[in-house]
Amino acid sequence: MTTALISWSGGKDSCLALWRARNAGMAVPLLITAMDEDGRKSRSHGVPPELLEAQAASLGARLQRYHASWASYEEQFIAMLRAAKAEGIDHALFGDIDLQPHRDWEEKVCAAAGLTAHLPLWGGDRRALVDEFLAAGFKAIVVCINGQHLPRAFCGREFDASFLADLPPGVDACGENGEFHTFVYDGPAFSAPVALRRTQVLQYDAPANLGGATYYFQELAPA
C-alpha cells in the first residue's frame, strides 16, 4: 500500500484530496500544517492548534505542525518533508486543482526531499468538486474571507448550498483565487464531529507589500 502525507490546511480541498486518496487505497497517516510564527493559528486559515489536533484525531491521522514566516515557509516545509521521508513516507498529497504555479512549487519541494507529489483533485471542474464535497456529507465553516472579493458577513457562515448561491458574480465556488478559506468539522472521513464554537470575527489589514487587502477571520474555539 502506498503511504503518503498530506499538506493540510484543514479546509475543504485538502479534506477532499485526503478522502479521494484513501478511497483509492492510499494510507495517509500524517497531516502537515503550517502555523504562524508564534504557533497560535494556522497560516492563511487562522485555526487554533487545539481544533487542528481534534480534526486530525477524528480523521485517524497524526498532525505535525511547524511555525514559519512567509520568508521561511519553503525551507521549513522541505525540512518537514525530509523528516517524513526518514520515517519511510515516499509520497505527498496536495489539494490544488488547476493553478500550475502551485503544482510546480509542490513538485519542486517534493523533489528536494525525495518524495513524489500527488494532486488527487488536479484538473477537476471546480464547481463539480464543490458539489462532490457537499454530496459526500462533509460540513465546513468559512473561516477566512478576502474583503476585496466578499463582504464581512460571509465570514463564519456554513459552507453550503446557501453560501454558494449568495456568492457574487466572479467569485469562485472553490475560493481557488483566494476569495475564502474553510475549516471542515464533520463528514464521512470523520469518526466524530469536531466540537467547536464560533467566538468573534477578527479583521486583519495586510501590509502593502502583501497586497494590502483586508481579511476577516472567524475565530473558532473548542466547544
Side-chain angles (χ1 to χ4, degrees):
M1 178 181 288
T2 300
T3 302
L5 62 85
I6 184 166
S7 178
W8 187 253
S9 69
K12 59 179 176 49
D13 296 336
S14 54
C15 187
L16 186 59
L18 173 66
W19 175 244
R20 279 191 171 187
R22 284 179 166 174
N23 286 343
M26 275 190 175
V28 189
L30 178 61
L31 318 179
I32 292 180
T33 300
M35 310 296 287
D36 57 19
E37 290 92 334
D38 61 13
R40 292 179 58 248
K41 298 287 177 66
S42 60
R43 283 236 158 259
S44 300
H45 289 58
V47 178
E50 296 86 355
L51 290 180
L52 291 166
E53 293 285 358
Q55 188 186 47
S58 187
L59 290 166
R62 175 168 55 100
L63 178 73
Q64 284 191 345
R65 295 176 279 117
Y66 65 100
H67 306 176
S69 66
W70 288 120
S72 67
Y73 183 92
E74 180 173 313
E75 177 186 359
Q76 294 283 89
F77 188 66
I78 292 173
M80 296 294 287
L81 296 180
R82 286 176 173 157
K85 174 74 172 181
E87 295 179 10
I89 295 176
D90 293 320
H91 302 266
L93 300 168
F94 300 89
D96 287 284
I97 300 170
D98 56 20
L99 299 180
Q100 190 63 45
H102 290 195
R103 180 170 194 146
D104 292 344
W105 182 86
E106 289 153 2
E107 292 180 343
K108 179 184 76 169
V109 295
C110 282
L115 276 69
T116 301
H118 295 273
L119 289 78
L121 310 185
W122 188 256
D125 177 81
R126 294 181 182 183
R127 180 55 195 252
L129 291 171
V130 168
D131 291 341
E132 178 184 344
F133 175 85
L134 294 176
F138 287 106
K139 297 179 181 179
I141 296 171
V142 179
V143 290
C144 172
I145 62 167
N146 182 333
Q148 291 181 327
H149 299 283
L150 291 169
R152 183 182 186 276
F154 279 81
C155 192
R157 288 183 58 174
E158 286 287 317
F159 180 73
D160 56 14
S162 175
F163 174 86
L164 295 169
D166 289 343
L167 289 177
V171 174
D172 182 59
C174 272
E176 190 72 356
N177 304 309
E179 297 98 328
F180 61 89
H181 297 298
T182 58
F183 177 77
V184 186
Y185 64 90
D186 196 12
F190 289 73
S191 61
V194 177
L196 55 79
R197 58 189 173 88
R198 296 167 174 83
T199 56
Q200 59 185 328
V201 174
L202 304 175
Q203 179 176 328
Y204 170 69
D205 297 310
N209 65 328
L210 293 177
T214 295
Y215 293 88
Y216 299 98
F217 290 88
Q218 173 62 64
E219 192 174 57
L220 301 176

